[in-house]
Structures are given as structure tokens and as C-alpha cells.
Amino acid sequence: MLISLSKTFLAAVATAGVLALSSLASAEAVVTKLSGSPGHWELLRNGQPYFIKGVGGSASMELLKQLGGNSVRTWGADDLGRQLDEAQRLGLTVAVGIWLPHEDKRFNYDNADQVAQQVEKARTAILKYKDHPAVLMWGIGNEMEGPAGNKAVIWAAVNNIAVMAKQLDPNHPTMTVIAEIGADGVKAKNIHQLCPAIDIIGINSYGGAPSIPTRYQAAGGTKPYVLTEFGPIGFWEGGHTSYKAPIEPNSSEKVKMYDAAYTKAIDGNKGTCLGGYAFLWGNKQETTTTWFGMLLPDGSLTPAVSVISSHWTGQSPAVQPPQITNIKLAEGDQRQPGDTVHASVTATSSQSAPLTFEWQLHAETEVHGEGGSYEPPTKQFNDVTAGLTGNEATLTLPQKPGVYRLYVFARDASHYVATANVPILVGPAPAAKPKGRDGQASGLKKPVVLLADDASPSGYIPSGWMGNAGAIALNPAFKTNPHTGVTCMECKYTAADQFGGVVWQSPANNWGDQAGGRNLTGAARLRFWARGVSGGEKVEFKFGVLQGDQKFKDSAGGDIAVTLTKDWKQYEIDLAGKDLSQ
């Protein structure tokens, strides 16, 4: 949605053997301290400034070191002794994760016995590893807060473990890691209010990472943060086909996403941001075989490695990785069993040797992990793609109806491989819907709440500032006379002429060059409340503003122009009959 402003208005939109044991026995801690004040924070390690240039994952630490990285992050303490020893050998550090369960049918933070067991597990890990010289900090929990992040008993459990960690180990700071910062920054606010023993906030953010500095400041964030996971837009945030298959960005598009996150949320916010951990240092099956992995199973590097290394070292890569512009199917992506498919990919290389191509056809994943948990590998049809090595491919689809995904890997003389894929529907559309990271189906659930107190992140970020942007002020947590709940959104435009506008984008900063948005097919109306401070303010509300020649333009658009009154009034944009698939 675009809000075009003329005056002030408010909108209520509603990875240890003998070696490990012997090294730990003689270990001596290297002290890490948090120093400074809000806006001027830094880590001091052995008394020297330390900025985190890290990754999350279990791939080669040797490679990490060669590329300019200095730290790895774990999610738990399994196999930790070996990891710490390897890191120490290479001069790297480890942000040690202490896993805390997520609430489900097996674990409840209201159960005192279960919480006490977690405290003892944390105590055991801290006492065992606190003096290892590779320890950087304690990461207490990862996304255990739940979608809303407003359950006080969870924050109490986190803070109690942080208090214990400080008592057992005064030489390392404490951090807890959350999934995004919450609607109107509620998760960040709750950590500030309820977790005084937490020194650092770890933020996992994908599509919204570039706008973290603005949103964190608006939420009143004063603690330093680490961008603990970042990378391409998540499959739960981006676009889908009409048959609910997520559209994965190609490797060249992902490079832009890694770069934007690092540039804006890490490098661009030093003093508040202490560094970051790129995701994922390795490879994994998560919705697709290539979505998050920065490396392939054979050890080849994706272009994302190159852009992150350039940020760590401050130098342009000596070898530019291959690039993929697009992958396309000549006859479209909805076919019948046994059909012949003609596919092509446009790719370039900076190397003199020609590119070679590998094509793979996989069945779409049917078992979706929750919160990034394990997914079994998808079935691969090697016989279908055997012998296909050029940038064009002809193959015969399986006889079994369902959703499949065609991958292409473009290799040059370097160790880098560019990747892309496209889903293909064979036969009728399946009833199952893809899952999001929170385990929820990512198809339309009505109503779809874009902005409201305690709402889960919608995937839309107010990142597109237009017109006279310097005259726009946006406060997403304004508490004066909200229509409902405890906050509303205050928007001000202070110039006497021109115009200012703010677009909610998916992912953030997406002007049609990335897949994004949501399939809202079935929605009948876009409804919201607004009022003016004085009354008489002229405002235009729009949705679907990308209606030009953008690669990923909106499938429909609409608008209304209103003159606001001093009292709250409900407004509505009719969606009936519109193509809301993107």
C-alpha cells in the first residue's frame, strides 16, 4: 500500500573427542566485554575492538578464515567442543547457542518443571565451555518467543538464564535471538522491558533486514543488536505461483539481497549493530534444495559468498562469479503428465572458459520443517535430465501429477556456481499449501492483517519513501488516541508543497526487481481506519503501485482519495474481481 501525504494523519491499520577434552582442561578465557552507550556500542575482545564478520552453519571454518570472516554462530551446544577447538586453531570465535525449546504440545513455559530442566541444561553448557578461549558470547535461545513475542513467562525464563550466565561467567556478554523484531517492534520492546540481563539482541531478518535500523529505532531500541541471520528473502515472504509454489530468487537476485542487508543493517548502523552472521554457511533442504545455502553439497560456492567476503575484507573479489539473468519455460509452467518441456537460461561469466550447465528435476517438497527444522531431501529424476549440459534443455515430464521444480547450475572456471529454478505444475493443482517458517500455511487466511497491535509480521515493510522523503516522519507506535488497541501509526508531512509517500513493500525496498508480495486471491476488500489531526487533510491511499514495465509488477492496483476528519473513520478499497495473485 502507498500512503501519499499532504498533512499529518493517523492510520490504524489494524555443529568432542580427546583433543577437545584436553584443550578445555587447559583453556583460559579470552574476555569479551560490551563497551559504550546507546548509539556508540562496540565489543572489546582482549581489550581490542571486535566487529563480528560471521556466518551461521557448519561448513569449512578454513574457508571462512580465507574469505575474511572471524566468527561462527551455533544454535545449540551439540558437538560444541570440536567446533570451539577448530575455531581457536584458526583464530575465530563462536557465538555459543544455548537452545531453548519452542512452545508446542511437548513444552510449555508455564510448566515450572520443564523450565527448570532447561535452566540446568544451560548451566551445564556454560560451566563446561565458559573458559574456552574461542567463546565470544552466549546466545540464549533462538526464536523461542513465538510469532507475537508477548508472553512474559518466556522472557522471564530467558532473563533468568542470562542472570545465571553472568554469575557463572562474567567474561562474556549475553544475547537472545528473535525472529524479526515483531509488529511495531514489540519483541525488541519486551526484551528491553523484561530482560535486563540480556546485553545484546540477536535479530534474524530476511526480507526486512535492510529496514531494521529504522524500525529498531522507532521501537525505542537502545541495546546493541547483531544481525544473527540474514540472506535472501524467505519463502514465507516472497511471491508464489497460482498453485502456491514459492518463487525462489536466482543467485544474482540473492546477491542483491545479501548486499542490501549488510550495507544497511550492519555497515550502515555501526554503533548499534555489532556485526552479523550470514545464513547459511553450508547447504540444506528447506522448501527447495538451494534457497538458503551459500555453498552447494559438493563444496562449490554460490555468488552470495563473494559479496559477503567483499564486505568482510573491504575489497572487490578477484574473481567475479557467474551471473544468471533468468530461467524460462517456452510453453509455460502448467503442463500435463509426460509433456515435453523446453527450458533455457541466460547466464554470463567473467572467465574466458565457457560456462557449463547442470540441469536437475526434483519433486516439490512435501514434508515441511517448522522454524527451519529438518526436511528430507526431495526426489530427483536423474534420468530426465541426463546429458543436459547446455543453456537450453529439453526434457520429458513425469507421468505422475504434482508440482516439480527444474533447477539449473551454471559453472565457470572458478569455484563459483550460479543457481536458478522454476516450479512446474503437472496436471491439476494439489490441495496442500506450502508452509512458512512459523509452520503456518502461507496461502490466504482471511482476514489478512497488515498492521495491528501484536500482529505477526505480514511480510510488508514501510521501506519505499517517495517524493519529498525528507519531509516525511513515520511513527509506527503512536499512542495518542488510537482507534483500537494501544497504538496507531502516525504519519507527518511537513513541507508546504510537493508530496510525500510511503509504500509498504515485500520484501523491503522492492521496486519490482524482486519476487515478492502475496497471493491474496479471494480477498474482497482492503479496509482500514484513519483520522486527521486537524481535519481537512487530503490523503491518497493506494495498493499495487507497480503497474509499469517492472519484472515483478503488481497483478492489480487500486486507490481512493479522501479528505480526513478529526474523528476516526473507516475507509475501504473494493477488491472484487481483481487479480490478486501477486
Side-chain angles (χ1 to χ4, degrees):
M1 174 188 284
L2 165 66
I3 299 177
S4 179
L5 319 175
S6 59
K7 291 183 180 179
T8 300
F9 78 96
L10 308 175
V13 202
T15 134
V18 175
L19 174 61
L21 293 172
S22 62
S23 63
L24 284 169
S26 59
E28 183 176 343
V30 176
V31 178
T32 304
K33 293 291 185 183
L34 179 64
S35 177
S37 58
H40 305 280
W41 297 112
E42 67 176 349
L43 284 177
L44 298 179
R45 181 165 166 80
N46 221 6
Q48 299 300 312
Y50 190 89
F51 195 73
I52 299 171
K53 304 174 183 180
V55 294
S58 58
S60 170
M61 291 189 192
E62 291 269 12
L63 178 62
L64 174 64
K65 178 74 172 181
Q66 293 170 13
L67 293 169
N70 63 9
S71 190
V72 296
R73 176 194 169 211
T74 75
W75 286 262
D78 296 339
D79 195 32
L80 183 59
R82 182 197 62 81
Q83 291 175 300
L84 287 169
D85 286 344
E86 179 71 358
Q88 173 63 10
R89 182 181 70 83
L90 295 168
L92 305 176
T93 65
V94 179
V96 178
I98 297 177
W99 183 258
L100 298 182
H102 297 197
E103 283 203 314
D104 55 21
K105 295 179 180 180
R106 298 163 296 180
F107 190 93
N108 190 323
Y109 278 90
D110 291 311
N111 186 316
D113 289 337
Q114 289 183 322
V115 172
Q117 291 172 9
Q118 296 308 308
V119 172
E120 288 308 306
K121 289 182 180 179
R123 183 194 306 274
T124 299
I126 294 169
L127 287 174
K128 183 175 182 179
Y129 298 112
K130 65 183 182 68
D131 294 327
H132 198 291
V135 172
L136 180 65
M137 65 177 73
W138 302 108
I140 302 169
N142 179 81
E143 301 185 1
M144 71 284 121
E145 75 280 357
N150 57 5
K151 189 169 181 179
V153 68
I154 297 179
W155 298 122
V158 170
N159 192 66
N160 288 341
I161 292 177
V163 170
M164 177 183 67
K166 289 178 173 293
Q167 293 171 343
L168 298 175
D169 177 23
N171 294 324
H172 301 100
T174 58
M175 175 177 71
T176 192
V177 179
I178 53 178
E180 261 290 343
I181 63 173
D184 293 334
V186 65
K187 297 180 183 181
K189 292 176 184 178
N190 283 336
I191 294 173
H192 281 78
Q193 296 172 352
L194 302 176
C195 300
I198 290 294
D199 301 312
I200 301 164
I201 299 181
I203 304 173
N204 296 344
S205 183
Y206 292 87
S211 63
I212 284 291
T214 300
R215 293 186 288 124
Y216 188 69
Q217 182 181 25
T222 58
K223 292 177 184 280
Y225 71 79
V226 174
L227 198 60
T228 39
E229 287 182 23
F230 67 97
I233 182 175
F235 53 84
W236 61 94
E237 298 173 302
H240 293 75
T241 66
S242 60
Y243 45 93
K244 313 304 182 192
I247 300 171
E248 179 180 349
N250 65 44
S251 57
S252 297
E253 292 166 334
K254 291 177 184 179
V255 162
K256 296 178 181 179
M257 297 172 186
Y258 278 96
D259 183 59
Y262 205 105
T263 299
K264 296 182 179 181
I266 299 177
D267 272 351
N269 203 28
K270 289 181 178 179
T272 299
C273 182
L274 304 176
Y277 292 92
F279 189 86
L280 171 77
W281 193 241
N283 59 86
K284 68 178 298 193
Q285 165 67 39
E286 187 168 355
T287 293
T288 76
T289 67
T290 55
W291 202 296
F292 293 109
M294 299 174 70
L295 286 76
L296 299 183
D298 64 0
S300 299
L301 315 181
T302 70
V305 174
S306 178
V307 68
I308 292 299
S309 177
S310 69
H311 279 290
W312 292 339
T313 64
Q315 299 176 350
S316 297
V319 176
Q320 292 291 339
Q323 296 186 36
I324 283 181
T325 303
N326 63 3
I327 179 176
K328 58 183 178 181
L329 303 172
E331 301 89 359
D333 65 342
Q334 298 189 36
R335 309 304 306 281
Q336 294 302 311
D339 274 0
T340 298
V341 169
H342 303 279
S344 63
V345 63
T346 304
T348 59
S349 172
S350 63
Q351 308 296 301
S352 58
L355 285 166
T356 60
F357 298 86
E358 177 187 357
W359 296 84
Q360 295 180 7
L361 182 69
H362 291 240
E364 192 77 324
T365 185
E366 296 181 355
V367 179
H368 294 269
E370 296 186 8
S373 62
Y374 172 80
E375 291 179 7
T378 53
K379 182 179 179 180
Q380 182 176 346
F381 298 83
N382 294 322
D383 56 330
V384 171
T385 56
L388 300 178
T389 59
N391 70 316
E392 297 184 355
T394 299
L395 59 148
T396 302
L397 293 173
Q399 291 292 337
K400 182 179 179 180
V403 180
Y404 298 81
R405 194 171 290 260
L406 181 63
Y407 295 80
V408 63
F409 303 83
R411 302 173 181 268
D412 62 13
S414 71
H415 291 292
Y416 286 101
V417 181
T419 68
N421 65 67
V422 61
I424 305 173
L425 174 63
V426 176
K433 296 180 179 180
K435 295 287 185 175
R437 268 239 173 171
D438 59 359
Q440 299 300 312
S442 55
L444 176 65
K445 291 184 176 182
K446 296 180 287 186
V448 177
V449 180
L450 299 183
L451 298 169
D453 290 326
D454 300 330
S456 300
S458 67
Y460 293 91
I461 308 298
S463 55
W465 294 49
M466 303 171 62
N468 187 359
I472 305 171
L474 194 68
N475 181 359
F478 191 69
K479 296 184 179 180
T480 301
N481 186 24
H483 176 259
T484 56
V486 296
T487 66
C488 54
M489 177 169 287
E490 179 192 39
C491 302
K492 292 183 179 181
Y493 183 69
T494 56
D497 56 2
Q498 304 179 54
F499 87 101
V502 182
V503 186
W504 270 252
Q505 298 170 309
S506 170
N509 306 296
N510 182 11
W511 294 101
D513 56 341
Q514 306 173 47
R518 292 181 63 181
N519 184 350
L520 298 179
T521 299
R525 60 190 62 86
L526 173 61
R527 180 181 290 163
F528 54 92
W529 293 78
R531 70 174 175 90
V533 169
S534 303
E537 297 89 346
K538 296 184 182 300
V539 185
E540 187 175 14
F541 296 92
K542 296 183 177 183
F543 81 92
V545 302
L546 302 178
Q547 296 294 312
D549 58 358
Q550 299 92 347
K551 181 179 179 180
F552 298 100
K553 65 181 182 180
D554 293 308
S555 59
D559 63 88
I560 56 172
V562 303
T563 299
L564 299 175
T565 65
K566 294 180 66 175
D567 297 321
W568 287 103
K569 182 178 178 180
Q570 187 178 78
Y571 297 93
E572 185 175 293
I573 300 178
D574 185 15
L575 304 179
K578 294 185 180 291
D579 177 4
L580 304 178
S581 61
Q582 191 70 28

